[in-house]
């Protein structure tokens, strides 16, 4: 790992923030107002989701819930409906839990340090650091995928970012570099740098505003950083989705309170060992595929009339369209439409 002198650090801050002031994405709606609630909503939405995808969701969400109190006291069904399509719905549930904690338990007073912010549901070290630096000017690095990539290349840090212990190595390396006067802008500049000149593939370091500080680029090994062991492939699992009709209604099932797709409504799903186990009229030739972090579901639609269980009910199209349906269920509905 390269170590920078104080002069190098000061020059890096100057060049980075000059570029950010002139070219940063200052027009992003969550950067126009540094109120912690707005920053929290944006950071939770941006987890594993691209900025362009988040923008319309964020704007609708803030119209519906302009304050932390509004979100805290909203019906969960409304929150999930506005989240529909973003996926990873536990984020929405945790976001509302965090809002309730701030609004009700803390009487609207926000924790101001990155350590205290981690007491909020769904808020980890990165999100806490982002809020603390942007909203409360705490000098703390926000270590996310962009920071891993940017600083692994700048400093040639060889530690495997897939290992949990590596976060502290990066945190300790970045902390003395964070601008003490503008920590929030510094962290956001690193985010912008990582999504522009220092992308994972096809980086443009030749024109980067911090080219002179990029040790990996200088040594011709930029694409070797960050060091990261590959994730195992998702485990394939087979399911049938039962299509049961009654008049103009379709049978839906409420998922269990825990596990994947918790509390959502879907067609009844049954895991099978092989397609030979399918019972009923198979509707789709190719399975509907849905990939979770560690699992790959392949699902066949099967026409089969069944009597509803306690957690199942027949719903009209108008009724199920009012529900917040997971992306998987939208895929199943689309596949059914193509089969009909």
């Amino acid at each position: 790992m390269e170590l920078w002198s104080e002069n190098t650090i000061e020059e890096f801050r100057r060049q980075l923030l000059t570029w950010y002031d002139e070219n940063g994405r200052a027009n992003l709606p969550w950067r126009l107002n540094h109120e912690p609630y707005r920053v929290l909503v944006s950071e939770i939405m941006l987890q594993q989701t691209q900025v362009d995808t988040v923008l319309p969701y964020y704007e609708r969400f803030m119209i519906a819930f302009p304050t932390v109190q509004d979100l805290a006291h909203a019906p969960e069904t409304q929150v999930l409906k506005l989240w529909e399509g973003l996926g990873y719905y536990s984020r929405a549930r945790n976001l509302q839990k965090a809002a309730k904690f701030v609004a009700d338990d803390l009487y609207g007073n926000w924790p101001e340090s990155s350590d205290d912010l981690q007491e909020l549901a769904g808020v980890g070290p990165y999100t806490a650091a982002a809020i603390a630096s942007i909203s409360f000017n705490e000098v703390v690095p926000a270590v996310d995928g962009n920071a891993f990539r940017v600083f692994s290349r700048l400093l040639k840090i060889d530690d495997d970012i897939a290992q949990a212990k590596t976060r502290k190595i990066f945190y300790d390396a970045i902390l003395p570099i964070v601008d003490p006067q503008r920590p929030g802008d510094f962290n956001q500049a690193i985010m912008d740098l990582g999504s522009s000149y220092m992308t994972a593939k096809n980086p443009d370091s030749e024109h980067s505003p911090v080219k002179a500080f990029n040790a990996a680029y200088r040594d011709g090994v930029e694409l070797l950083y960050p060091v990261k062991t590959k994730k195992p492939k998702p485990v394939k699992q087979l399911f049938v989705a039962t299509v049961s009709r009654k008049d103009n209604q379709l049978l839906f099932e409420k998922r269990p309170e825990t596990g994947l797709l918790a509390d959502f409504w879907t067609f009844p799903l049954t895991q099978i060992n092989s397609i030979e186990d399918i019972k009923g009229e198979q509707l789709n030739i190719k399975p509907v595929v849905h990939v979770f972090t560690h699992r790959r579901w392949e699902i066949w639609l099967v026409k089969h009339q069944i009597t509803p269980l306690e957690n199942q009910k027949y719903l009209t199209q108008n009724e199920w369209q009012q529900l917040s349906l997971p992306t998987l269920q939208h895929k199943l509905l689309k596949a059914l439409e193509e089969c009909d």
Side-chain angles (χ1 to χ4, degrees), residues 26-222:
N27 62 337
L28 292 174
W30 47 85
R31 292 186 179 176
L32 300 175
N33 184 329
H34 291 169
E35 199 270 325
Y37 169 61
R38 298 176 66 87
V39 178
L40 172 65
V41 172
S42 69
E43 290 296 340
I44 297 298
M45 285 188 170
L46 286 165
Q47 292 172 3
Q48 299 178 288
T49 310
Q50 296 295 318
V51 170
D52 289 343
T53 301
V54 165
L55 279 169
Y57 281 93
Y58 178 84
E59 291 170 351
R60 289 194 294 268
F61 204 85
M62 296 311 300
I63 290 172
F65 315 119
T67 69
V68 68
Q69 289 81 8
D70 292 321
L71 176 58
H73 303 135
E76 183 184 89
T77 53
Q78 184 186 6
V79 175
L80 294 176
K81 188 65 179 176
L82 283 169
W83 201 272
E84 188 173 281
L86 271 179
Y88 302 99
Y89 289 90
S90 61
R91 293 183 298 171
R93 292 191 174 99
N94 282 332
L95 179 58
Q96 188 171 37
K97 288 179 184 177
K100 288 179 179 178
F101 183 72
V102 172
D104 299 337
D105 293 34
L106 302 182
Y107 306 101
N109 298 308
W110 283 83
E112 296 189 6
S113 73
S114 56
D115 287 341
D116 290 343
L117 282 161
Q118 290 183 58
E119 295 181 11
L120 303 182
V123 175
Y126 163 74
T127 302
I131 299 169
S133 62
I134 295 169
S135 299
F136 302 110
N137 220 36
E138 182 181 357
V139 182
V140 59
V143 184
D144 69 342
N146 283 310
F148 276 135
R149 186 166 59 257
V150 168
F151 283 100
S152 68
R153 292 173 178 176
L154 294 178
L155 303 176
K156 288 184 70 176
I157 301 176
D158 294 315
D159 298 88
D160 182 1
I161 66 171
Q163 302 295 320
K165 63 183 180 181
T166 301
R167 176 176 290 276
K168 187 177 187 309
I169 295 171
F170 275 80
Y171 181 97
D172 292 342
I174 301 169
L175 180 58
I177 304 175
V178 177
D179 191 290
Q181 304 303 317
R182 301 174 60 188
D185 288 344
F186 180 94
N187 283 326
Q188 291 181 112
I190 295 300
M191 296 175 203
D192 287 2
L193 192 64
S195 61
S196 57
Y197 293 99
M198 298 184 71
T199 53
K201 298 179 180 179
N202 303 314
D204 184 18
S205 295
E206 179 61 30
H207 300 99
S208 167
V210 295
K211 169 187 172 182
F213 304 88
N214 192 334
Y217 175 69
R218 179 196 64 213
D219 295 344
V221 292
E222 186 171 27

Side-chain angles (χ1 to χ4, degrees), residues 230-237 291-296:
K230 291 184 178 180
K231 292 181 180 179
K233 290 184 178 180
V235 176
K236 184 171 76 171
Q237 296 179 315
V291 180
F292 299 95
T293 305
H294 302 298
R295 301 181 193 178
R296 173 189 168 94

Side-chain angles (χ1 to χ4, degrees), residues 239-245 275 277-285 299-306 335-336 339-340:
F239 288 82
V240 293
T242 300
V243 177
S244 182
R245 286 188 169 98
I275 58 174
D277 294 336
I278 292 177
K279 296 178 181 179
E281 181 185 343
Q282 181 178 329
L283 298 178
N284 54 333
I285 299 174
I299 307 164
W300 281 267
L301 294 168
V302 175
K303 185 178 179 181
H304 184 62
Q305 201 69 25
I306 60 177
L336 178 60
C339 293
D340 287 344

